[in-house]
């Protein structure tokens, strides 16, 4: 299911995909994947807005 969601995001030309599950919630983070570079980063939930504004 997640693979299909990444494909849909790619078709929509999304710059980022945010992954939030139980494990991420327990850590207080969100995994953010840059769709252009393929780089994936763990970002503190409270820092997500700043991270996205920086366009990493």
């Amino acid at each position: 299911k997640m693979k299909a969601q990444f494909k849909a995001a790619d078709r929509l030309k999304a710059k980022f995909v945010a992954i939030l599950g139980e494990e991420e919630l327990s850590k207080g983070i969100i995994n953010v994947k840059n769709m252009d570079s393929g780089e994936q980063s763990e970002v503190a939930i409270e820092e997500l807005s700043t991270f996205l504004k920086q366009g990493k």
Side-chain angles (χ1 to χ4, degrees):
K1 185 175 179 173
M2 189 170 301
K3 189 174 183 177
Q5 292 173 331
F6 278 113
K7 285 184 179 182
D10 193 44
R11 281 193 306 273
L12 294 170
K13 304 208 184 307
K15 186 167 183 173
F16 297 101
V17 172
I19 304 162
L20 179 62
E22 289 181 33
E23 186 176 336
E24 288 84 7
L25 277 174
S26 71
K27 293 180 180 179
I29 58 112
I30 296 177
N31 279 307
V32 180
K33 181 175 181 176
N34 181 314
M35 295 297 284
D36 290 332
S37 69
E39 181 181 347
Q40 191 164 317
S41 304
E42 285 188 352
V43 180
I45 291 173
E46 62 272 4
E47 297 296 322
L48 181 61
S49 177
T50 302
F51 180 87
L52 294 174
K53 286 178 186 174
Q54 292 173 354
K56 294 185 177 184

